[in-house]
């Protein structure tokens, strides 16, 4: 809906304001062909191996029931405004300290997760086809959710055990 489009534009504006005029950052809105909501990518270029990418992401959309319409609003405070808030706080802290990573870090607010992981799949496919050298990915979804037995869950299928151990 237009609300989802506006929410990603808000994320882009907010992240852009946090990094200000730093010369090692780049913000882009990633267009998706099948839907109007864009993904937001904020990049901090690495100082030693800028071609190696670390992705810290979460989905920027939410859903309100099975039959949403243009008049339906879905604030998604937990799923997944909480993940985007966590990423935004990381960006704020790193920007305040003028952090300069060795590898390039991309912060991504993915579009259209709730309707089938469309935004992240589109970006992953594009990166794969272009040979983008992604070294690691951290996905933040429903951070600080308190109705589970575990405080943090690391997926173990299709992941790197060394990275999971590091985290």
């Amino acid at each position: 809906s237009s609300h989802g489009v506006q929410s990603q534009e808000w994320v882009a504006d907010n992240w852009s304001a946090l990094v200000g005029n730093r010369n090692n950052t780049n913000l882009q809105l990633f267009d998706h062909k099948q839907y109007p909501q864009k993904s937001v990518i904020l990049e901090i270029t690495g100082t030693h191996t800028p071609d190696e990418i670390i992705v810290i992401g979460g989905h920027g959309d939410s859903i309100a029931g099975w039959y949403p319409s243009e008049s339906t609003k879905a604030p998604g405070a937990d799923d997944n405004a909480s993940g985007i808030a966590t990423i935004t706080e990381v960006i704020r802290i790193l920007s305040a300290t003028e952090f300069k990573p060795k590898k390039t870090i991309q912060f991504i607010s993915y579009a259209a997760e709730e309707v089938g992981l469309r935004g992240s799949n589109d970006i992953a496919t594009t990166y794969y086809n272009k040979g983008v050298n992604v070294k690691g990915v951290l996905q933040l979804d429903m951070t600080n959710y308190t109705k589970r037995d575990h405080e943090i869950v690391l997926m173990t299928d299709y992941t790197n055990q060394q990275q999971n151990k590091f985290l």
Side-chain angles (χ1 to χ4, degrees):
S1 73
S2 64
H3 303 294
V5 171
Q6 291 169 5
S7 70
Q8 287 289 76
E9 290 170 352
W10 182 90
V11 169
D13 290 345
N14 189 275
W15 289 3
S16 181
L18 287 173
V19 297
N21 294 325
R22 289 180 57 161
N23 62 3
N24 66 335
T25 63
N26 179 43
L27 187 129
Q28 66 170 314
L29 294 173
F30 188 100
D31 288 314
H32 301 283
K33 292 184 174 114
Q34 284 98 10
Y35 42 91
Q37 188 183 46
K38 295 174 174 44
S39 292
V40 181
I41 302 173
L42 172 66
E43 182 174 281
I44 301 176
T45 306
T47 57
H48 290 67
T49 51
D51 62 320
E52 295 181 354
I53 310 295
I54 304 297
V55 173
I56 300 174
H59 65 94
D61 67 331
S62 62
I63 195 164
W66 295 109
Y67 304 103
S69 69
E70 184 60 32
S71 63
T72 306
K73 292 187 179 178
D78 187 40
D79 189 12
N80 186 40
S82 61
I84 297 303
T86 302
I87 293 167
T88 301
E89 182 63 2
V90 171
I91 293 167
R92 186 190 69 76
I93 290 168
L94 295 181
S95 295
T97 62
E98 297 194 27
F99 175 72
K100 294 181 177 148
K102 291 181 181 181
K103 296 177 182 354
T104 294
I105 300 176
Q106 288 186 348
F107 300 94
I108 304 178
S109 177
Y110 298 106
E113 184 268 356
E114 295 288 2
V115 291
L117 305 174
R118 292 180 184 180
S120 57
N121 186 37
D122 195 11
I123 291 171
T125 300
T126 299
Y127 282 17
Y128 177 80
N129 290 338
K130 290 184 174 183
V132 176
N133 189 10
V134 175
K135 295 306 233 180
V137 176
L138 176 64
Q139 167 70 20
L140 298 170
D141 195 339
M142 298 174 68
T143 60
N144 209 24
Y145 185 70
T146 60
K147 295 184 180 180
R148 294 203 177 131
D149 294 337
H150 306 288
E151 302 253 339
I152 186 170
V153 175
L154 296 176
M155 299 294 117
T156 57
D157 61 333
Y158 307 103
T159 63
N160 181 294
Q161 288 187 358
Q162 289 175 307
Q163 179 176 280
N164 287 354
K165 185 177 180 181
F166 170 77
L167 289 171

